[in-house]
Amino acid sequence: MARALHIGVLGAMPEEIGSDLSHLQQLRSEQHGDLTIHHGTWGEGIRLSLAWSGWGKVSAARAATRLLSSAPDIDLLLFTGVAGGADPSLKQWDVVLANAVVQHDMDSRPLFPRFTLPALNRAQLNPESSWLTWASRALAQAAQAGELDEFGSPSTGLIATGDRFICDSAVLDTLREALPGLKAVEMEGAAVAQVAEQEGMPWLVLRVISDGADASAAQSFGDFIQVYDRRAWCLLQALLSRAEQAPQR
Ligand code: ADE
């Protein structure tokens, strides 16, 4: 029999993991300083290890590293939560699965080209295609089956991460010019992806658009996150309930 799928799930805020814990069985938790890592099971043989990291790249990278050492047999590291929309066609509640991530505030010019991560000598990181295909199919199937009616359309695209809450259209326009095809901005995903790449661990970044990264972003974000808390589990469940189609590690 195949080994149970084990997914590591990180979100920046408790609201971004939402009510996930209340759906798990055999819950136990571990404390590492101020970081709590929860382990549990869901359904027939799916194992989950979850934590909220706190905001920003350093907190996200720290939580990812701790999670991987606390549960080294994880098959996939998933970062999930909300993001600012950078593509004007996106609306609140649209779902974006990253097919590439970039750290938009990484700039070691002239030593490396803009955005290049010296540790990996690459600017953009891409999830393994087998995991990306599984997750995008699962989301499309869930949307078609009406399981994601409280969300907008799922799509894939480039997500940019940096230690800045973007709430200014001029700043966003500059980023969009520098990063063609940019769909969303957030503060953790590409940091977790970098840790995962360096640790040889498959990763995905899955985000829901909460605001337009413009002057009204703070207000939209604040209102959105209250409601998001109650819906976050739906999105995770769309993936977990299709675990039998997931790649084998
Ligand atoms: N997460 C959600 N909205 C965001 C924004 N506008 N900028 C950065 N991170 C975000």
Side-chain angles (χ1 to χ4, degrees):
M1 204 176 88
R3 188 173 62 82
L5 186 70
H6 188 178
I7 302 187
V9 182
L10 289 171
M13 303 164 71
E15 292 89 339
E16 290 174 303
I17 305 280
S19 54
D20 296 355
L21 293 181
S22 66
H23 296 271
L24 304 187
Q25 291 89 46
Q26 297 172 46
L27 264 179
R28 65 184 172 85
S29 63
E30 280 168 34
Q31 201 63 36
H32 300 277
D34 63 358
L35 181 75
T36 313
I37 300 182
H38 305 270
H39 304 278
T41 61
W42 182 79
E44 292 294 305
I46 294 177
R47 294 163 63 211
L48 287 173
S49 294
L50 296 101
W52 34 96
S53 59
W55 292 35
K57 295 192 302 175
V58 172
S59 291
R62 177 270 190 138
T65 307
R66 267 293 187 193
L67 188 64
L68 292 180
S69 49
S70 131
D73 64 346
I74 280 175
D75 298 292
L76 171 75
L77 185 55
L78 170 70
F79 199 98
T80 188
V82 304
D87 175 338
S89 70
L90 289 173
K91 300 178 295 302
Q92 261 190 337
W93 292 107
D94 281 346
V95 176
V96 181
L97 177 65
N99 60 18
V101 294
V102 62
Q103 292 176 30
H104 67 70
D105 52 2
M106 172 54 80
D107 193 345
S108 301
R109 287 176 294 178
L111 303 174
F112 290 87
R114 190 174 178 195
F115 306 126
T116 295
L117 303 170
L120 293 167
N121 206 19
R122 271 181 289 155
Q124 296 193 8
L125 304 179
N126 308 97
E128 277 180 21
S129 62
S130 57
W131 284 101
L132 180 66
T133 304
W134 165 69
S136 54
R137 278 198 193 135
L139 293 172
Q141 286 168 5
Q144 205 158 26
E147 294 164 35
L148 297 178
D149 283 354
E150 293 186 310
F151 293 85
S153 339
S155 63
T156 54
L158 173 64
I159 295 183
T161 302
D163 281 322
R164 178 171 187 174
F165 183 82
I166 298 184
C167 50
D168 180 335
S169 307
V171 173
L172 183 63
D173 285 347
T174 310
L175 275 182
R176 283 172 32 205
E177 257 165 51
L179 295 166
L182 181 63
K183 282 217 152 180
V185 289
E186 40 85 309
M187 301 175 67
E188 296 85 17
V192 169
Q194 179 181 342
V195 170
E197 289 276 328
Q198 292 188 264
E199 295 285 324
M201 175 62 59
W203 58 271
L204 290 171
V205 175
L206 177 63
R207 293 287 190 173
V208 179
I209 301 300
S210 57
D211 62 84
D214 53 11
S216 57
Q219 179 73 47
S220 308
F221 172 86
D223 297 342
F224 187 91
I225 202 79
Q226 311 294 333
V227 187
Y228 184 72
D229 189 19
R230 295 193 292 278
R231 297 193 196 172
W233 170 251
C234 246
L235 202 56
L236 187 56
Q237 199 181 12
L239 298 180
L240 299 183
S241 58
R242 291 166 176 84
E244 76 285 352
Q245 299 157 25
Q248 297 284 324
R249 260 193 110 201

